[in-house]
Amino acid sequence: MILGIDIDDTISNTYNSIMGYAQEYTIDVLKREPLLRKGVTCTNHLYTQYLHQWAEGEDIKFLTLYYERILREVEPKTLAKKYLDKIHDEGNKIILITARWENEYFDVRKTTEEWLKKHDIPYDELIIDASDKLSICKNNNVDLFIDDSISNCNRAAEAGIKSFVMDTIINRGEDNPLVTRVYSWPHVYMKMKEIV
């Protein structure tokens, strides 16, 4: 089986890392109280800007200051490595498909590869700057797609690719009967075994 797997908030706890830095940025740089919108469902990875109600450009300044730190310091989700090892050891191909994008300040590919090596995360291929994950899945014959973005999962599922959405606080307000909601890596593994 070929798996296409997102990194941020799927393999890693990016939300936790981003939110701490977003709070600091809002208080220390923007000089505002970091009030969050409540009851938010965000279908893409721009939830930080939306939650904090940042104005146009304030998100760019945040990423300039914190993006590299977030990518280096984020921790893997509990048991992600253990179950990715099992999945990989069973002969499945793992393609990491991330929207992390290259920029002028640091080498995102190198930083991501170093993080994967540091945490000993198994994979066969790494695709960064993935703005159209559906096309990447199709071009790589992905059988199972796993992401925290419900919109990415919806698109893949509607194209006939089995899709799991990794549950997060940001994506809980939307469900699709074609997409399986998973809550942990043990759950991913259990649901994967049901479709093999």
Side-chain angles (χ1 to χ4, degrees):
M1 182 180 281
I2 301 173
L3 287 83
I5 307 175
D6 176 47
I7 297 175
D8 293 300
D9 289 322
T10 304
I11 294 175
S12 68
N13 277 317
T14 312
Y15 175 87
N16 295 340
S17 185
I18 285 178
M19 291 306 285
Y21 283 123
Q23 295 280 293
E24 179 181 82
Y25 170 73
T26 305
I27 294 166
D28 293 350
V29 177
L30 300 179
K31 307 294 186 197
R32 295 197 299 257
E33 180 146 0
L35 300 175
L36 297 181
R37 291 182 177 170
K38 297 197 192 276
V40 172
T41 296
C42 193
T43 60
N44 62 46
H45 60 278
L46 301 175
Y47 59 78
T48 310
Q49 175 185 5
Y50 185 74
L51 280 175
H52 286 86
Q53 304 172 61
W54 292 339
E56 185 82 24
E58 290 177 341
D59 57 328
I60 302 302
K61 188 172 182 181
F62 169 73
L63 291 170
T64 301
L65 293 170
Y66 293 99
Y67 188 41
E68 183 175 9
R69 261 188 277 183
I70 291 165
L71 298 191
R72 288 191 184 283
E73 295 174 9
V74 68
E75 290 296 320
K77 285 187 170 286
T78 303
L79 297 173
K81 183 203 168 353
K82 176 181 178 178
Y83 284 90
L84 286 165
D85 280 342
K86 285 177 88 160
I87 289 165
H88 199 249
D89 290 347
E90 290 171 0
N92 299 292
K93 182 177 180 180
I94 297 174
I95 303 172
L96 300 179
I97 305 170
T98 179
R100 292 178 174 191
W101 64 94
E102 288 292 3
N103 63 70
E104 62 188 273
Y105 303 106
F106 70 103
D107 187 330
V108 171
R109 174 174 290 283
K110 182 179 175 202
T111 300
T112 302
E113 288 170 344
E114 288 170 354
W115 184 87
L116 292 164
K117 184 176 181 180
K118 174 183 173 184
H119 295 287
D120 199 22
I121 303 294
Y123 68 98
D124 298 289
E125 186 177 349
L126 170 64
I127 300 171
I128 63 165
D129 214 359
S131 58
D132 183 356
K133 292 187 179 185
L134 175 58
S135 292
I136 292 166
C137 286
K138 285 180 174 179
N139 292 338
N140 287 279
N141 299 311
V142 166
D143 301 298
L144 174 61
F145 177 65
I146 308 168
D147 200 333
D148 67 299
S149 165
I150 191 70
S151 61
N152 285 336
C153 290
N154 287 344
R155 289 184 69 222
E158 287 160 11
I161 300 167
K162 185 67 181 163
S163 298
F164 294 173
V165 64
M166 184 63 78
D167 182 72
T168 70
I169 195 168
I170 300 300
N171 68 23
R172 286 187 187 142
E174 186 175 329
D175 281 310
N176 178 340
L178 298 175
V179 176
T180 301
R181 183 169 291 275
V182 290
Y183 298 93
S184 64
W185 276 95
H187 195 207
V188 167
Y189 188 75
M190 182 188 96
K191 298 308 278 184
M192 181 184 154
K193 287 304 189 182
E194 291 176 4
I195 63 171
V196 173

